[in-house]
Amino acid sequence: MIEITIDNKTVEANEGETVLQAALRNGIEIPHFCYHPCLSIAGNCRVCLVKVDGRPKLMPACNQTVAPNMVVETEAPEVQSARAAVMQFIMLNHPGDCGICDKAGECRVQEYQFKYGMAEPISIEPKHHKKKFNYLSERIVLDNERCILCSRCVRFTREVSKSAQLGIVERGSHSYVARLDAQPFDDPYSDNVLGICPTGALLSREFMYKSRVWYLEPVRSVCTRCARGCSVNVWRRKKHWYVRSLGEEKNITAYRISPLENPEINGRWICNTGFDLHKFMARPRAMAPMMAGNTVTVDEASAEANRLLAGATNPAIILSAHASNEELQAFKEKLSPRVQVYTREDYCPAEGEVVEDDLLIRADKNPNSYSVHAMFGQKAFSAAAGHDVVIVWGDQVDYTSLGNAKIIHLTSYAPEQETRADVLLPISTTFERSGTFCNFEGKTNRFEQVFDKPKLVQHASDLFGRL
Amino acid sequence: MTETRVFFNFDVTADSHTLAAYRQRGGYQALEKVLKGMQPIDVENEVKASGLRGRGGAGFPTGMKWSFVNKQSPVIYLCCNADEGEPGTFKDRWIFENTSHQLIEGMIIASYALKVRHSFIYIRGEFDLPYRRLMEALKEAKEAGLVGEKILGTEFSCDIIVHQGGGAYVCGEESSLLTSIEGFKGYPKNKPPFPAVKGLYQKPTVINNVETLATIPWILANGGATYAAIGTEKCSGTKLFGVSGHVNRPGLFEKPMGYSYKKLIYEDCGGILGGKELKAVIPGGSSTPVLLPSEIETLTMDAEAVQAAGSMLGSGGVIVIAEGTCMVRLLQVLSRFYAHESCGQCTPCREGSAWMNDIITRISRGKGVKGDLERLECITKGIMGNTVCALGDAASMPVNGFLKKFRHEFEYFIEHGRSMYDGRLEI
């Protein structure tokens, strides 16, 4: 531990840390664009310049290693004027089209311009134009005019995702970010650059013009697309801004997914599959209980399920690896002694999907296999065991593999098959309940309820008490 | 010849650049003396005693630069900065074209002093003849056992690797020169760490200018004290000055430090073209602040004196400007150069240099408005000292200098929409 003084305040800094890191950890704000805690230090935005005692020039706080008894000033007049000058330079050719920019409201350039910039621009030159709305990939557009060339995205593809697909080409004020070999930016982690971009240069094509960000709020959730179980934020409309007349479905739409920092599991990143979690969740749902293809009431369906189970001589259940720990516990207490338990993987890697890599993506495409295996072992269903009633929990089930048994199906999504379950009971998705998953390392991660469940849909944990 | 000469001590002929000719004028004797009879630390002390200062522009004492390097490090690199890009400077080109062997000898001696196994020459990409001459000389030297394994039969080995630049002015800045050699885009690095601690491939590195390294053999042959006796007390030795602009005999001159600017311009260069009055002098390459005739009246060519006059000795590229030149248009040429050469890494220089160029170009087209000059001063204030490397300062200093000394010309141009000096300069 080293003691340094920032703005007349003594703070403790770790050896080898930079002034910026020490300041941020101690709640002292120093503006920064290019510095990112997970990336190497570029020191190119120059907005974090601070006065360090004994140095003839202002030093970038992001590149200044702390030394014992160092005295740093972040609000000295020369620091403020340098900051204002840098903001003036950054805004010089920045289009300032916040009114039509998706980033407005969570844009660092906007924030710092209000906080540290000059009230009036001193430039009267026409702005230099660059290419707007560049196609970068199916997922991302790049607006070179808004780009402030902080190189965060470039460093991300070089240092984190290791695809090195982005670079800065040309020189001087003509520089711009581009995919270096005229190919789409198809890095499996590409969408992370949307979050680290300090301004509206990199934008999601999917989210574009869908909503202003200040209408939305994040809810903590867990990605269910692989056994890593990354923490994510699901962005829903704030209650205050609910749409009342037109398009009420907007109130129960997940607008976008963003990574939620979780140093234990995923750091600050998630993969593109995770960014698509809301689309995965928006598939056609099973909305009402059914018996042999006919819609029935909840009571009728559960009565029929009860009847089938009571009359069964050799009932079985196939567990879902998408069930939360709480649901598995409820099942264990209420139903498991009466049935033979089997497990399965609900989802297998899709064609063309990255199966597994060194960064985050795991080959097991289900969020809670760890708990299922820990509580009930690992035993695949076999039709040869002669079960006469089978409860299938989860989706993506091939009924034909179950033999001639009567089927009670608990599912969130509409089955794709023609053949029908004898009883189909719709259950809630992870967005509609809260609970926990254990990822492949056994680390528990909590998800919160984002939306209310539809009326006829039930929580699986409630169902087991009734059966 | 009464003056001591380090470079201009032979007649340039068709084959004066060859190894045979260089040996004839005493070449590679210093190398033999060093490798066979001196310890590395003795060489360093000799260079320290000579008071030699870097010839690239900053004028940092060479011996001190060498002493900063941790000699215990398993790998140390030496880089020769031959990316001569400063407008007005053309001294290194002459060295490559006429006496490449002098540089090679200097590099091997420096490598010996610094315990370097691999040294690099980063040569400006636009150099064609200089590059060919250097490669010929390297080939000759290798065949003669002067470069490579076991030089002159001793245990010392050193290879010289030549790297051609891609045409970026910024790569003359030492840290971007290193990134360029490493194969990356020529972006300067933030300091600290300094190259002497973490330079090329993260190893301690010494970077010296061509002229600096080519002076080393003379110092070792004649002794550091002899060299220190030339020139002024704080600025020893001789230096190559390239004079360009409105003089009768432009060219390259080797003069001892402390020589008079007036003598250089009026005697050695034969005065101003067409007998015109002197208007201004840019003393050390385009980025140094401009000086008025009254300021160079008694000025001598050494770092301290020029600094006292408010400018810099720089790389020794003297640009002479005759009466009748439009300073607005001249500044426009300079600012266009810096806007074009800014690497684009850090914000103030990337945006500021292009912005200044926009304003100055607008003024020079007769579209200047009131407030433009204050705006320019505000921009230079925002750039200077706030950038990663010195290019931002280099772009701002001429603007500041011109505005300070020729403000009336700019004001006239803005007010009347045309230059005080219309028409071509008659010379």
Coordinates of all heavy atoms in Angstrom, one line a residue, chain B residues 115-190:
Chain B
K115 N 27.3 -2.9 -25.5 CA 27.2 -4.4 -25.5 C 25.9 -4.8 -26.3 O 25.1 -5.6 -25.8 CB 27.1 -4.9 -24.1 CG 28.4 -4.6 -23.3 CD 28.3 -5.0 -21.9 CE 29.6 -4.6 -21.2 NZ 29.4 -4.5 -19.7
V116 N 25.8 -4.3 -27.5 CA 24.7 -4.6 -28.4 C 25.1 -5.7 -29.4 O 26.2 -5.6 -30.0 CB 24.3 -3.3 -29.1 CG1 23.3 -3.6 -30.2 CG2 23.7 -2.3 -28.1
R117 N 24.2 -6.7 -29.6 CA 24.5 -7.7 -30.5 C 23.8 -7.4 -31.9 O 24.3 -7.7 -32.9 CB 24.0 -9.1 -30.0 CG 24.2 -10.3 -31.0 CD 25.6 -10.6 -31.2 NE 25.8 -11.7 -32.2 CZ 25.7 -11.5 -33.5 NH1 25.4 -10.4 -34.0 NH2 25.9 -12.6 -34.3
H118 N 22.6 -6.8 -31.8 CA 21.9 -6.5 -33.0 C 21.5 -5.0 -33.0 O 20.9 -4.5 -32.0 CB 20.6 -7.3 -33.1 CG 20.8 -8.7 -33.3 ND1 21.2 -9.3 -34.5 CD2 20.8 -9.8 -32.4 CE1 21.3 -10.6 -34.3 NE2 21.1 -10.9 -33.1
S119 N 22.0 -4.3 -34.0 CA 21.6 -2.9 -34.0 C 20.8 -2.6 -35.3 O 20.9 -3.4 -36.2 CB 22.8 -2.0 -34.0 OG 23.7 -2.4 -35.0
F120 N 20.0 -1.6 -35.3 CA 19.1 -1.3 -36.4 C 19.3 0.1 -37.0 O 19.7 1.0 -36.3 CB 17.6 -1.4 -35.8 CG 17.2 -2.7 -35.4 CD1 17.6 -3.2 -34.1 CD2 16.4 -3.5 -36.2 CE1 17.2 -4.4 -33.7 CE2 16.0 -4.8 -35.7 CZ 16.4 -5.2 -34.5
I121 N 19.1 0.1 -38.3 CA 19.0 1.4 -38.9 C 17.6 1.6 -39.5 O 17.2 0.8 -40.3 CB 20.1 1.6 -40.1 CG1 21.5 1.4 -39.5 CG2 19.9 2.9 -40.8 CD1 22.6 1.5 -40.6
Y122 N 16.9 2.6 -39.0 CA 15.6 2.9 -39.5 C 15.7 4.0 -40.5 O 15.8 5.1 -40.2 CB 14.6 3.3 -38.4 CG 13.2 3.4 -38.9 CD1 12.3 2.3 -38.8 CD2 12.7 4.6 -39.4 CE1 11.0 2.4 -39.3 CE2 11.4 4.7 -39.8 CZ 10.5 3.6 -39.7 OH 9.2 3.7 -40.2
I123 N 15.7 3.6 -41.8 CA 16.0 4.6 -42.9 C 14.7 5.1 -43.5 O 13.8 4.3 -43.8 CB 17.0 4.1 -43.9 CG1 17.5 5.1 -44.9 CG2 16.5 2.8 -44.6 CD1 18.7 4.8 -45.6
R124 N 14.6 6.4 -43.8 CA 13.5 7.0 -44.4 C 13.1 6.3 -45.7 O 14.0 6.0 -46.5 CB 13.9 8.4 -44.7 CG 12.8 9.3 -45.3 CD 13.4 10.7 -45.4 NE 12.7 11.5 -46.4 CZ 11.7 12.3 -46.2 NH1 11.3 12.4 -45.0 NH2 11.2 12.9 -47.2
G125 N 11.9 6.0 -45.9 CA 11.4 5.2 -47.1 C 11.7 5.9 -48.4 O 11.9 5.3 -49.4
E126 N 11.6 7.2 -48.3 CA 11.8 8.0 -49.6 C 13.2 8.0 -50.1 O 13.5 8.4 -51.2 CB 11.3 9.4 -49.5 CG 9.8 9.5 -49.3 CD 9.3 9.5 -47.9 OE1 10.0 8.9 -47.0 OE2 8.3 10.0 -47.5
F127 N 14.2 7.7 -49.2 CA 15.6 7.7 -49.6 C 15.8 6.5 -50.5 O 15.7 5.4 -50.2 CB 16.5 7.5 -48.3 CG 16.7 8.8 -47.6 CD1 17.3 8.7 -46.3 CD2 16.4 10.0 -48.1 CE1 17.6 9.9 -45.6 CE2 16.6 11.2 -47.3 CZ 17.2 11.1 -46.1
D128 N 16.3 6.9 -51.7 CA 16.6 5.8 -52.7 C 18.1 5.6 -52.8 O 18.7 4.6 -52.4 CB 16.0 6.2 -54.0 CG 16.3 5.1 -55.1 OD1 16.4 4.0 -54.7 OD2 16.5 5.5 -56.3
L129 N 18.8 6.6 -53.4 CA 20.3 6.5 -53.5 C 20.9 6.3 -52.1 O 21.8 5.4 -52.0 CB 20.8 7.8 -54.1 CG 22.4 7.8 -54.3 CD1 22.8 6.6 -55.2 CD2 22.8 9.1 -54.9
P130 N 20.5 7.0 -51.1 CA 21.1 6.8 -49.7 C 20.9 5.3 -49.3 O 21.9 4.7 -48.8 CB 20.3 7.7 -48.8 CG 19.8 8.8 -49.7 CD 19.5 8.2 -51.0
Y131 N 19.8 4.8 -49.6 CA 19.5 3.4 -49.2 C 20.4 2.4 -50.0 O 21.1 1.5 -49.4 CB 18.0 3.0 -49.5 CG 17.7 1.6 -49.1 CD1 17.7 1.1 -47.8 CD2 17.4 0.7 -50.2 CE1 17.4 -0.2 -47.6 CE2 17.1 -0.6 -49.9 CZ 17.1 -1.1 -48.6 OH 16.8 -2.4 -48.3
R132 N 20.6 2.7 -51.3 CA 21.4 1.8 -52.1 C 22.9 1.9 -51.6 O 23.6 0.9 -51.5 CB 21.3 2.1 -53.5 CG 20.0 1.5 -54.1 CD 19.9 1.8 -55.6 NE 19.5 3.1 -55.9 CZ 20.1 3.9 -56.8 NH1 21.1 3.4 -57.5 NH2 19.6 5.1 -57.1
R133 N 23.3 3.1 -51.4 CA 24.7 3.3 -50.9 C 24.9 2.6 -49.6 O 26.0 2.0 -49.4 CB 25.0 4.8 -50.8 CG 25.1 5.6 -52.1 CD 26.6 5.5 -52.6 NE 26.7 5.9 -54.0 CZ 26.9 7.1 -54.4 NH1 26.9 8.1 -53.6 NH2 27.0 7.4 -55.7
L134 N 23.9 2.7 -48.7 CA 24.1 2.1 -47.4 C 24.2 0.6 -47.5 O 25.0 0.0 -46.9 CB 22.9 2.5 -46.5 CG 22.8 1.7 -45.2 CD1 24.0 2.1 -44.3 CD2 21.5 2.0 -44.4
M135 N 23.3 0.0 -48.4 CA 23.3 -1.4 -48.5 C 24.6 -1.9 -49.2 O 25.2 -2.9 -48.8 CB 22.1 -1.9 -49.4 CG 20.8 -1.6 -48.7 SD 20.7 -2.0 -47.0 CE 20.3 -3.7 -47.0
E136 N 25.1 -1.1 -50.1 CA 26.4 -1.5 -50.8 C 27.5 -1.4 -49.7 O 28.3 -2.4 -49.6 CB 26.8 -0.4 -51.8 CG 26.3 -0.6 -53.2 CD 26.6 0.6 -54.1 OE1 27.7 1.2 -54.0 OE2 25.6 1.0 -54.8
A137 N 27.5 -0.4 -48.9 CA 28.5 -0.2 -47.9 C 28.5 -1.4 -46.8 O 29.5 -1.9 -46.4 CB 28.4 1.1 -47.2
L138 N 27.2 -1.7 -46.5 CA 27.1 -2.8 -45.5 C 27.6 -4.1 -46.1 O 28.2 -4.9 -45.4 CB 25.6 -3.0 -45.2 CG 25.1 -2.4 -43.9 CD1 23.6 -2.6 -43.7 CD2 25.8 -2.9 -42.7
K139 N 27.4 -4.3 -47.3 CA 27.8 -5.6 -48.0 C 29.4 -5.6 -48.0 O 30.0 -6.6 -47.6 CB 27.3 -5.6 -49.4 CG 27.3 -6.9 -50.1 CD 26.5 -7.0 -51.4 CE 27.0 -8.1 -52.3 NZ 27.6 -7.6 -53.5
E140 N 30.0 -4.4 -48.4 CA 31.4 -4.4 -48.3 C 32.0 -4.6 -46.9 O 32.9 -5.4 -46.8 CB 31.9 -2.9 -48.8 CG 31.8 -2.7 -50.2 CD 32.2 -1.2 -50.6 OE1 31.9 -0.3 -49.8 OE2 32.9 -1.1 -51.6
A141 N 31.3 -4.0 -46.0 CA 31.8 -4.1 -44.6 C 31.7 -5.6 -44.1 O 32.5 -6.1 -43.4 CB 31.0 -3.2 -43.7
K142 N 30.6 -6.2 -44.5 CA 30.4 -7.6 -44.1 C 31.5 -8.5 -44.7 O 32.0 -9.3 -44.0 CB 29.0 -8.1 -44.5 CG 28.0 -8.2 -43.3 CD 26.7 -8.7 -43.8 CE 25.6 -8.1 -42.9 NZ 24.3 -8.0 -43.5
E143 N 31.7 -8.3 -45.9 CA 32.7 -9.1 -46.6 C 34.1 -8.8 -46.0 O 35.0 -9.7 -46.0 CB 32.7 -8.8 -48.1 CG 31.6 -9.5 -48.9 CD 31.3 -8.9 -50.2 OE1 32.1 -8.0 -50.7 OE2 30.3 -9.3 -50.8
A144 N 34.3 -7.6 -45.6 CA 35.6 -7.3 -45.0 C 35.7 -7.7 -43.5 O 36.7 -7.4 -42.9 CB 35.9 -5.8 -45.2
G145 N 34.7 -8.3 -43.0 CA 34.7 -8.7 -41.6 C 34.5 -7.6 -40.6 O 35.0 -7.6 -39.5
L146 N 33.9 -6.5 -41.1 CA 33.8 -5.3 -40.2 C 32.4 -5.3 -39.5 O 32.2 -4.5 -38.6 CB 34.0 -4.0 -41.0 CG 35.4 -3.9 -41.6 CD1 35.4 -2.9 -42.7 CD2 36.4 -3.5 -40.5
V147 N 31.5 -6.1 -40.0 CA 30.2 -6.2 -39.4 C 29.9 -7.7 -39.4 O 30.2 -8.4 -40.3 CB 29.1 -5.4 -40.3 CG1 27.7 -5.7 -39.8 CG2 29.4 -4.0 -40.3
G148 N 29.2 -8.1 -38.4 CA 28.8 -9.5 -38.3 C 29.5 -10.3 -37.2 O 29.7 -9.8 -36.2
E149 N 29.8 -11.6 -37.5 CA 30.5 -12.4 -36.5 C 31.9 -12.0 -36.3 O 32.6 -11.8 -37.3 CB 30.4 -13.9 -37.0 CG 29.0 -14.4 -37.2 CD 28.4 -14.9 -35.8 OE1 29.2 -15.3 -34.9 OE2 27.1 -14.8 -35.7
K150 N 32.3 -12.0 -35.1 CA 33.8 -11.9 -34.8 C 34.4 -10.8 -35.6 O 35.3 -11.0 -36.5 CB 34.5 -13.2 -34.9 CG 33.9 -14.3 -34.1 CD 35.0 -15.3 -33.7 CE 34.4 -16.5 -33.0 NZ 33.6 -16.2 -31.8
I151 N 34.1 -9.5 -35.3 CA 34.5 -8.4 -36.1 C 36.0 -8.2 -35.9 O 36.5 -8.2 -34.7 CB 33.8 -7.1 -35.6 CG1 32.3 -7.3 -36.0 CG2 34.3 -5.9 -36.3 CD1 31.4 -6.3 -35.4
L152 N 36.8 -8.1 -37.0 CA 38.2 -7.9 -37.0 C 38.9 -9.0 -36.1 O 40.0 -8.7 -35.5 CB 38.6 -6.5 -36.4 CG 38.2 -5.3 -37.3 CD1 38.4 -4.0 -36.6 CD2 38.9 -5.3 -38.6
G153 N 38.3 -10.2 -36.1 CA 39.0 -11.3 -35.5 C 38.9 -11.3 -33.9 O 39.4 -12.1 -33.2
T154 N 38.1 -10.3 -33.4 CA 37.9 -10.2 -32.0 C 36.7 -11.1 -31.6 O 36.0 -11.6 -32.4 CB 37.7 -8.8 -31.5 OG1 36.5 -8.3 -32.1 CG2 38.9 -7.9 -31.8
E155 N 36.4 -11.1 -30.3 CA 35.3 -11.8 -29.8 C 33.9 -11.1 -30.0 O 32.9 -11.6 -29.7 CB 35.4 -12.2 -28.3 CG 36.4 -13.3 -28.1 CD 36.0 -14.6 -28.9 OE1 34.9 -15.1 -28.7 OE2 36.8 -15.0 -29.7
F156 N 34.0 -9.8 -30.4 CA 32.8 -9.0 -30.5 C 32.1 -9.2 -31.9 O 32.7 -9.2 -32.9 CB 33.2 -7.5 -30.4 CG 32.0 -6.6 -30.4 CD1 31.0 -6.7 -29.4 CD2 31.8 -5.8 -31.5 CE1 29.9 -5.8 -29.5 CE2 30.7 -5.0 -31.6 CZ 29.8 -5.0 -30.6
S157 N 30.8 -9.5 -31.8 CA 30.0 -9.7 -33.0 C 28.8 -8.7 -32.9 O 28.3 -8.5 -31.9 CB 29.4 -11.1 -33.0 OG 30.4 -12.0 -33.0
C158 N 28.5 -8.1 -34.0 CA 27.3 -7.2 -34.1 C 26.8 -7.2 -35.5 O 27.6 -7.0 -36.5 CB 27.7 -5.9 -33.6 SG 26.4 -4.7 -33.8
D159 N 25.5 -7.4 -35.7 CA 24.9 -7.3 -37.0 C 24.1 -6.0 -37.1 O 23.6 -5.5 -36.1 CB 23.9 -8.4 -37.2 CG 24.6 -9.7 -37.6 OD1 25.4 -9.6 -38.6 OD2 24.5 -10.7 -36.9
I160 N 24.0 -5.4 -38.3 CA 23.2 -4.2 -38.5 C 22.1 -4.6 -39.4 O 22.2 -5.2 -40.4 CB 24.1 -3.1 -39.1 CG1 25.2 -2.7 -38.1 CG2 23.2 -1.9 -39.5 CD1 26.1 -1.6 -38.7
I161 N 20.9 -4.3 -38.9 CA 19.7 -4.6 -39.6 C 19.1 -3.3 -40.1 O 18.9 -2.4 -39.4 CB 18.6 -5.4 -38.7 CG1 19.3 -6.7 -38.3 CG2 17.3 -5.6 -39.5 CD1 19.1 -7.1 -36.9
V162 N 18.8 -3.3 -41.4 CA 18.3 -2.0 -42.0 C 16.8 -2.2 -42.2 O 16.3 -3.2 -42.7 CB 19.0 -1.7 -43.3 CG1 18.4 -0.5 -44.0 CG2 20.5 -1.6 -43.1
H163 N 16.0 -1.2 -41.7 CA 14.6 -1.2 -41.9 C 14.1 0.0 -42.6 O 14.4 1.1 -42.2 CB 14.0 -1.3 -40.5 CG 12.5 -1.5 -40.5 ND1 11.9 -2.7 -40.2 CD2 11.5 -0.6 -40.7 CE1 10.6 -2.6 -40.3 NE2 10.3 -1.3 -40.6
Q164 N 13.5 -0.1 -43.7 CA 13.0 1.0 -44.5 C 11.7 1.5 -43.9 O 10.8 0.7 -43.7 CB 12.9 0.7 -45.9 CG 14.1 0.9 -46.8 CD 13.9 0.7 -48.2 OE1 13.5 -0.5 -48.6 NE2 14.1 1.7 -49.0
G165 N 11.5 2.8 -43.8 CA 10.3 3.3 -43.3 C 9.2 3.4 -44.4 O 9.5 3.1 -45.5
G166 N 8.0 3.6 -43.9 CA 6.9 3.6 -44.9 C 6.5 5.0 -45.3 O 5.5 5.2 -46.0
G167 N 7.2 6.0 -44.9 CA 6.9 7.4 -45.3 C 6.1 8.2 -44.3 O 5.4 9.1 -44.7
A168 N 6.3 8.0 -43.1 CA 5.6 8.7 -42.1 C 6.6 9.6 -41.3 O 7.6 9.1 -40.8 CB 4.9 7.8 -41.1
Y169 N 6.3 10.9 -41.2 CA 7.2 11.8 -40.5 C 7.2 11.5 -39.0 O 8.3 11.5 -38.4 CB 6.6 13.2 -40.7 CG 7.1 14.3 -39.8 CD1 8.4 14.8 -40.0 CD2 6.4 14.9 -38.8 CE1 8.9 15.8 -39.3 CE2 6.9 15.9 -38.0 CZ 8.2 16.4 -38.2 OH 8.7 17.4 -37.5
V170 N 6.1 11.0 -38.5 CA 6.1 10.7 -37.1 C 7.0 9.6 -36.7 O 7.4 9.5 -35.5 CB 4.6 10.4 -36.6 CG1 4.2 9.0 -37.1 CG2 4.4 10.6 -35.2
C171 N 7.4 8.7 -37.6 CA 8.3 7.6 -37.3 C 9.7 8.1 -37.0 O 10.6 7.4 -36.6 CB 8.3 6.6 -38.4 SG 6.8 5.6 -38.4
G172 N 10.0 9.4 -37.2 CA 11.2 10.0 -36.8 C 11.3 10.2 -35.3 O 12.3 10.5 -34.7
E173 N 10.1 10.1 -34.6 CA 10.0 10.2 -33.2 C 10.4 8.9 -32.6 O 10.0 7.8 -33.2 CB 8.5 10.6 -32.8 CG 8.3 11.1 -31.4 CD 8.2 10.0 -30.4 OE1 7.9 8.9 -30.7 OE2 8.5 10.3 -29.2
E174 N 11.2 8.9 -31.6 CA 11.9 7.6 -31.3 C 11.0 6.5 -30.9 O 11.2 5.3 -31.4 CB 12.9 7.8 -30.2 CG 12.4 8.5 -28.9 CD 13.5 8.7 -27.9 OE1 14.7 8.7 -28.3 OE2 13.2 8.9 -26.7
S175 N 9.9 6.7 -30.2 CA 9.1 5.6 -29.8 C 8.2 5.0 -30.9 O 8.0 3.8 -31.0 CB 8.2 5.9 -28.6 OG 7.3 7.0 -28.9
S176 N 7.8 5.9 -31.8 CA 7.1 5.4 -33.0 C 8.0 4.7 -34.0 O 7.6 3.8 -34.7 CB 6.3 6.5 -33.6 OG 7.1 7.6 -34.0
L177 N 9.2 5.1 -34.0 CA 10.2 4.4 -34.8 C 10.4 3.0 -34.3 O 10.4 2.1 -35.1 CB 11.6 5.2 -34.6 CG 12.8 4.7 -35.4 CD1 13.6 5.9 -35.8 CD2 13.7 3.8 -34.6
L178 N 10.4 2.8 -33.0 CA 10.5 1.5 -32.4 C 9.2 0.6 -32.8 O 9.3 -0.5 -33.2 CB 10.7 1.5 -30.9 CG 11.9 2.2 -30.5 CD1 12.0 2.2 -28.9 CD2 13.2 1.7 -31.1
T179 N 8.0 1.2 -32.6 CA 6.8 0.5 -33.0 C 6.8 0.1 -34.4 O 6.4 -1.0 -34.8 CB 5.5 1.3 -32.7 OG1 5.8 2.6 -32.8 CG2 4.9 1.0 -31.3
S180 N 7.3 1.0 -35.3 CA 7.4 0.7 -36.7 C 8.3 -0.5 -37.0 O 8.0 -1.3 -37.8 CB 7.8 1.9 -37.4 OG 7.8 1.7 -38.8
I181 N 9.5 -0.5 -36.3 CA 10.4 -1.6 -36.5 C 9.7 -2.9 -36.0 O 9.9 -4.0 -36.7 CB 11.7 -1.4 -35.7 CG1 12.5 -0.2 -36.4 CG2 12.6 -2.7 -35.8 CD1 13.8 0.1 -35.7
E182 N 9.0 -2.8 -34.9 CA 8.3 -4.0 -34.4 C 7.2 -4.5 -35.4 O 6.7 -5.6 -35.2 CB 7.7 -3.7 -33.0 CG 8.7 -3.6 -31.9 CD 8.2 -3.1 -30.7 OE1 7.0 -2.8 -30.6 OE2 8.9 -2.9 -29.7
G183 N 6.9 -3.7 -36.3 CA 5.9 -4.2 -37.3 C 4.5 -3.6 -37.1 O 3.6 -4.0 -37.8
F184 N 4.4 -2.7 -36.2 CA 3.0 -2.1 -35.9 C 2.9 -0.8 -36.6 O 3.9 -0.3 -37.2 CB 2.8 -1.9 -34.4 CG 2.8 -3.2 -33.6 CD1 3.9 -3.5 -32.9 CD2 1.7 -4.0 -33.7 CE1 3.9 -4.7 -32.1 CE2 1.7 -5.2 -32.9 CZ 2.8 -5.5 -32.2
K185 N 1.8 -0.2 -36.6 CA 1.6 1.1 -37.1 C 2.4 2.1 -36.3 O 2.5 2.0 -35.1 CB 0.1 1.5 -37.0 CG -0.3 2.7 -37.8 CD -1.8 2.8 -37.7 CE -2.3 4.1 -38.5 NZ -3.7 4.3 -38.4
G186 N 3.0 3.1 -37.0 CA 3.9 4.0 -36.3 C 3.3 4.9 -35.4 O 3.2 6.1 -35.7
Y187 N 2.8 4.5 -34.3 CA 2.2 5.3 -33.2 C 3.3 5.5 -32.1 O 3.8 4.6 -31.7 CB 1.0 4.6 -32.6 CG -0.3 4.8 -33.3 CD1 -1.4 4.0 -33.0 CD2 -0.5 5.8 -34.3 CE1 -2.6 4.2 -33.6 CE2 -1.7 5.9 -34.9 CZ -2.8 5.1 -34.6 OH -4.0 5.3 -35.2
P188 N 3.4 6.8 -31.7 CA 4.3 7.0 -30.5 C 3.7 6.3 -29.3 O 2.5 6.1 -29.2 CB 4.4 8.5 -30.4 CG 3.9 9.0 -31.7 CD 2.9 8.0 -32.2
K189 N 4.7 6.0 -28.3 CA 4.2 5.4 -27.1 C 4.2 6.4 -26.0 O 5.0 7.4 -26.1 CB 5.1 4.3 -26.7 CG 5.0 3.0 -27.6 CD 6.0 2.0 -27.1 CE 6.3 1.0 -28.2 NZ 7.5 0.3 -28.0
N190 N 3.4 6.2 -25.0 CA 3.4 7.1 -23.8 C 4.7 6.8 -23.0 O 5.1 5.7 -22.9 CB 2.2 6.8 -22.9 CG 1.0 7.5 -23.5 OD1 0.9 8.7 -23.4 ND2 0.0 6.7 -23.9

